[in-house]
């Protein structure tokens, strides 16, 4: 039962993570493992989370995102999020995620942001 | 009044089964796409809690969901016979989690409260937990 | 081995609920789109029969579905406590229907037989009916 | 719970019936009622069933189709079916529907058929 697909692209010091499918507790480990292995590259600082294809997420997904955010704090990294559907966006808001993450329109705007941060 | 009862093994692969089943039942109320996603989200929270907190990730427990449609509202109870809670008020505190090591965010209850119209929590240590959720979909019909 | 039990009121609006729920459970076997549709079709046939034949369209009956996944196969039992059948062999005859007035086509059993790998019918007049279906999804695993 | 939409177009002596959604026992009455009211026009002889948007059908749907076919037999009418998905097509085959109905590629081919029949 493959409910989630994760595509990770490395661009300079930034990871672009595209989630496709449903991110719940059952899928959380898969996402964590994939992202952690990409974060093991020491030059990676920023994470762009593209949620355009993320049809479902619950608080287990919030936990995974916060966990990865904690990994980039010591690197002065930024977390940028784009294209979440209405329900996922509302969940992120409820979780206070936008207090630590930057909401951007799309990957392009995200890359402008991290470009400025260099 | 339409009703159902669904029981299943406390396995994490049943989280998606449970939320799809409940939202398929709720389809009778003609919910919006957004409301369907909200129903799926709260069911996912409650069922995940039953599995990881109630049954501590044991797969031999049973999670039971009672559902009913009444006056344009979906009423759902999610029940486990797991460890239960000492202090429900503490458990419901936003950001509180007893399992930070598992990367739990502690906002499951907050989400259920925000996306439902009513929630009741009934729990006893060693006996289990019952979460009752009510979500209005259609305007209340005077019958 | 993963299992579930689902019980619901014998109302026709639950036919779609039942087939979506069972196919959501079967999703764990990673079926093709075509297999999902086949599962939905056979569940729809069995549940419709329970409602219109077993309970004669009464809405106060209960339909129960047991499901389990074992060795790459989906096993499902659909049970009603309705009128039952005198002659199961006759009932299973292609094109036989006891309700031609309701525009029944009499091919429900034929469809279940064709789209499943095994079917068992257990019925007693006045007691009810149990249909057991088995559909293989993944190749059988040697365990 | 609107699981099915029915669009019916009258063209000469032909009804083009487009089913969209799921046709089961619960929805059968709706489809029957709509088709019967269109068939009450005495000049209607043929039925073209476009199943392109029909995501699900079980034997209750077969019953509704056969019932309407019986209504056009006395009028020397034809039943033409197109665009059913694989599972719906298989069901129709199991039901022996293609012994009485003509399988066509699309509505265009269906209209050619009924044109020839005039
Ligand atoms: N079914 C349950 N059985 C036992 N304890 C529970 C149950 N549901 C919730 N809890 C307790 O309530 C706390 C808060 O739950 P929640 O807000 O969903 O956050 P999280 O699941 O992220 O920990 C949990 O950490 C757990 O201690
Ligand atoms: N659950 C049931 N309870 C009682 N009778 C049943 C049940 N299921 C099937 N039958 C009997 O078997 C006959 C054939 O069933 P089926 O092949 O599904 O065709 P149909 O539903 O179109 O009649 C029915 O007409 C009915 O008499």
């Amino acid at each position: 039962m493959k409910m989630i697909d994760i595509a990770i692209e490395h661009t300079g010091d930034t990871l672009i993570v595209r989630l496709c499918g449903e991110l719940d507790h059952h899928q959380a480990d898969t996402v964590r493992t994939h992202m952690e292995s990409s974060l093991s590259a020491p030059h990676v600082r920023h994470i762009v989370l593209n949620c355009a294809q993320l049809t479902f997420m619950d608080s287990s997904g919030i936990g995974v995102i916060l966990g990865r955010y904690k990994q980039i704090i010591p690197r002065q990294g930024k977390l940028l999020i784009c294209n979440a559907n209405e329900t996922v966006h509302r969940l992120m808001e409820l979780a206070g995620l936008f207090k630590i993450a930057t909401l951007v329109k799309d990957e392009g705007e995200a890359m402008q942001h991290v470009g400025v941060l260099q | 009044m339409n009703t159902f009862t669904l029981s299943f093994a406390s396995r994490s692969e049943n989280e998606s089964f449970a939320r799809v089943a409940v939202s398929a039942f709720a389809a009778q109320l003609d919910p919006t796409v957004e409301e369907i996603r909200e129903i799926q989200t709260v069911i996912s929270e409650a069922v995940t809690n039953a599995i990881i907190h109630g049954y501590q990730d044991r797969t031999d427990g049973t999670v039971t969901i009672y559902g009913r449609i009444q006056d344009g509202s979906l009423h759902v109870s999610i029940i486990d016979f797991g460890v239960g809670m000492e202090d429900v008020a503490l458990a419901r505190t936003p950001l509180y989690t007893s399992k930070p090591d598992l990367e739990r965010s502690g906002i499951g209850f907050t989400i259920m409260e925000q996306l439902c119209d009513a929630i009741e929590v009934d729990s006893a240590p060693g006996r289990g937990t019952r979460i009752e959720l009510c979500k209005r979909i259609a305007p209340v019909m005077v019958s």
Side-chain angles (χ1 to χ4, degrees), chain A residues 23-53:
Chain A
L23 174 46
D24 64 4
H25 160 241
H26 184 65
Q27 308 294 335
D29 269 350
T30 310
V31 175
R32 173 170 37 246
T33 311
H34 273 73
M35 288 185 69
E36 277 190 333
S37 103
S38 293
L39 283 168
S40 69
H43 67 281
V44 172
R45 289 173 57 206
H46 311 299
I47 299 174
V48 176
L49 206 61
N50 185 343
C51 302
Q53 309 290 320

Side-chain angles (χ1 to χ4, degrees), chain A residues 84-96:
Chain A
N85 75 36
E86 211 178 314
T87 320
V88 171
H89 182 95
R90 187 147 166 226
L91 204 82
M92 290 174 164
E93 249 180 352
L94 279 177

Side-chain angles (χ1 to χ4, degrees), chain B residues 86-114:
Chain B
E86 292 275 355
D87 185 343
V88 171
L90 173 66
R92 290 178 67 164
T93 308
L95 303 179
Y96 170 80
T97 179
S98 55
K99 296 215 187 301
D101 46 311
L102 291 184
E103 295 200 339
R104 303 301 302 163
S105 54
I107 56 160
F109 275 119
T110 309
I111 290 167
M112 290 185 255
E113 286 161 10
Q114 293 291 323

